[in-house]
Amino acid sequence: MSRRVVRQSKFRHVFGQPVKADQMYEDIRVSKVTWDSSFCAVNPKFVAIIVESGGGGAFIVLPLAKTGRVDKNHPLVTGHTAPVLDIDWCPHNDNVIASASEDTTVMVWQIPDYVPVRNITEPVVTLEGHSKRVGIISWHPTARNVLLSAGCDNLVILWNVGTGEMLLVLEDMHTDLIYNVGWNRNGSLLVTTCKDKKVRVIDPRKQEIVAEKDKPHDGARPIRAIFMADGKIFTTGFSKMSERQLGLWDLKNFEEPIALQEMDTSNGVLLPFYDPDSSVVYLCGKGDSSIRYFEITDEAPYVHYLNTYSSKEPQRGMGFMPKRGLDVSKCEIARFFKLHERKCEPIVMTVPRKSDLFQDDLYPDTPGPEPALEADEWLSGKDAEPILISLRDGYVPVKNRELKVVKKNILDNKPPPGPRRSHSTCEPDVTLEEVLEEIRALKETVQAQEKRISDLENKLCQFTNGTD
């Protein structure tokens, strides 16, 4: 009778490797704000990092290829009047990024493909509705222009960035500080963790709590929760003895965990990063110098430890590249951007394979940049799975699309008198007809001036001829 001792898995030998020194981003003053966000956001075009900034909040945006030492005068994105706490790239437009700040606002920015000469100071739209600092932002995974923000006023607000309006406000659901918010795969549900030690699953459109779990982890330190692709919930937290734990929960039976494992006694909050295509969860602790990764399966014990990537220096934050930004020719299944005090170090996770051919089993079709729904369709109750793309020929980025903010009526959106502004402010959109009309008027002016110059030259000629 043969007994299988080692579990079969294609991800059992995944290993992490830092890039060479000349492929790092050096001389970046990473933010020292005490906030448990990742401080870094990455997409197939850019890496964005929250940085130290005098007199307000700022973050730096670098093209992925611009490695090496960063010029100390490199333009920043500056518009917030207090430190930036969270940044997130739009999944449907690689040139659009949102930022949340202590100044209670959320700003959405259009980043040009070229490196600008000066700081970017004008956002496409400013979203104002929170009364305290905003620490969490997250784009909807399938609906265009839908952005979620969560603040220290215990409110979760959903915005339509295209019109600059609030879509939904989830109030009276959280009694204390919100630690994190995550969407499920099709964006129909939210999972939130809160300082009151509860994990809540919320249907935002019905504005109701679908499921709630009190104390998934007994400790007092922050809890994190994310959705798995099949609808289960993965949590990280602390036990009563301050040991770090991870848990897997099924919404159908939220009382008992499917799996609960203790890891170590470090005090950094574990940030979970999930790859639904490979069903691997990567855990990065703030202040740790390692990344642990686990495979989630349907077989007991459900959460299988794979390996640990270790280094010498602790991490201040971490960026996680979407699947379409990876190098499929090298069997790369994840890429992290580890923040040090003065630099950003990419770390590549690879599955060792001998063949140079495209590996179908490692790269199933993955969510692409096209949204499946418009904001209005989603709000009316429609759900759609992400539109998938194949990575067989490598991902080719789509042409840069400009984010347009359309106001239904500018006059309707004037902020009410009083100290607190609850509406969004943005520049009105200029139509093509107005631009063409302006060009026509300028041409007529130029022609008229040319005729006048010609007449004056003729008169001058006559005058000089008459005096000779």
Side-chain angles (χ1 to χ4, degrees), residues 7-278:
R7 186 180 67 90
Q8 293 294 308
S9 168
K10 57 191 167 215
F11 302 112
R12 206 157 54 85
H13 299 292
V14 170
F15 67 97
Q17 214 169 10
V19 298
K20 293 186 175 119
D22 61 344
Q23 292 175 296
M24 298 181 191
Y25 307 86
E26 308 233 20
D27 258 10
I28 298 168
R29 294 167 56 214
V30 178
S31 174
K32 293 186 172 72
V33 174
T34 52
W35 186 256
D36 285 326
S37 77
S38 56
F39 286 4
C40 181
V42 196
N43 71 15
K45 280 187 177 182
F46 302 103
V47 53
I49 300 163
I50 302 174
V51 293
E52 285 285 292
S53 160
F59 58 97
I60 191 169
V61 176
L62 300 166
L64 278 188
K66 195 173 172 57
T67 54
R69 194 174 295 280
V70 176
D71 182 4
K72 67 175 186 295
N73 296 319
H74 191 284
L76 304 176
V77 182
T78 59
H80 288 287
T81 56
V84 177
L85 299 178
D86 199 11
I87 48 177
D88 195 24
W89 286 105
C90 176
H92 308 127
N93 187 337
D94 285 342
N95 292 72
V96 171
I97 188 169
S99 60
S101 166
E102 273 189 28
D103 65 9
T104 76
T105 65
V106 173
M107 292 182 179
V108 180
W109 309 84
Q110 180 99 25
I111 306 296
D113 283 328
Y114 58 88
V115 176
V117 181
R118 296 185 186 84
N119 286 352
I120 300 174
T121 56
E122 289 299 317
V124 181
V125 60
T126 303
L127 307 170
E128 298 179 312
H130 288 281
S131 57
K132 292 185 180 176
R133 63 182 178 169
V134 187
I136 299 163
I137 43 173
S138 179
W139 292 90
H140 193 285
T142 60
R144 190 197 305 273
N145 290 345
V146 176
L147 178 66
L148 173 148
S149 65
C152 294
D153 49 6
N154 307 340
L155 288 185
V156 175
I157 302 178
L158 286 107
W159 307 88
N160 181 349
V161 174
T163 59
E165 296 171 330
M166 284 186 201
L167 293 176
L168 297 163
V169 181
L170 307 179
E171 47 191 345
D172 304 326
M173 288 190 179
H174 300 90
T175 58
D176 212 328
L177 179 69
I178 301 166
Y179 284 140
N180 91 299
V181 181
W183 294 96
N184 67 348
R185 188 169 170 81
N186 67 359
S188 60
L189 295 174
L190 295 170
V191 61
T192 68
T193 59
C194 182
K195 200 173 179 179
D196 62 10
K197 297 187 184 176
K198 287 183 180 175
V199 172
R200 296 172 175 86
V201 177
I202 298 168
D203 184 327
R205 289 167 297 190
K206 290 181 182 169
Q207 304 208 9
E208 64 181 29
I209 295 171
V210 179
E212 191 173 74
K213 170 66 183 160
D214 191 26
K215 291 191 180 175
H217 302 279
D218 291 326
R221 303 220 37 179
I223 300 168
R224 294 260 159 172
I226 52 171
F227 268 109
M228 302 284 104
D230 59 2
K232 293 188 180 76
I233 287 173
F234 182 90
T235 60
T236 65
F238 293 80
S239 70
K240 274 185 181 170
M241 306 299 290
S242 290
E243 290 174 305
R244 293 199 289 197
Q245 292 180 322
L246 56 86
L248 189 65
W249 309 79
D250 192 339
L251 284 183
K252 293 169 192 149
N253 179 18
F254 216 1
E255 288 309 304
E256 287 299 315
I258 302 171
L260 191 66
Q261 294 182 17
E262 290 183 348
M263 289 169 54
D264 57 21
T265 51
S266 183
N267 59 0
V269 175
L270 285 166
L271 305 177
F273 296 94
Y274 174 55
D275 174 18
D277 298 341
S278 58

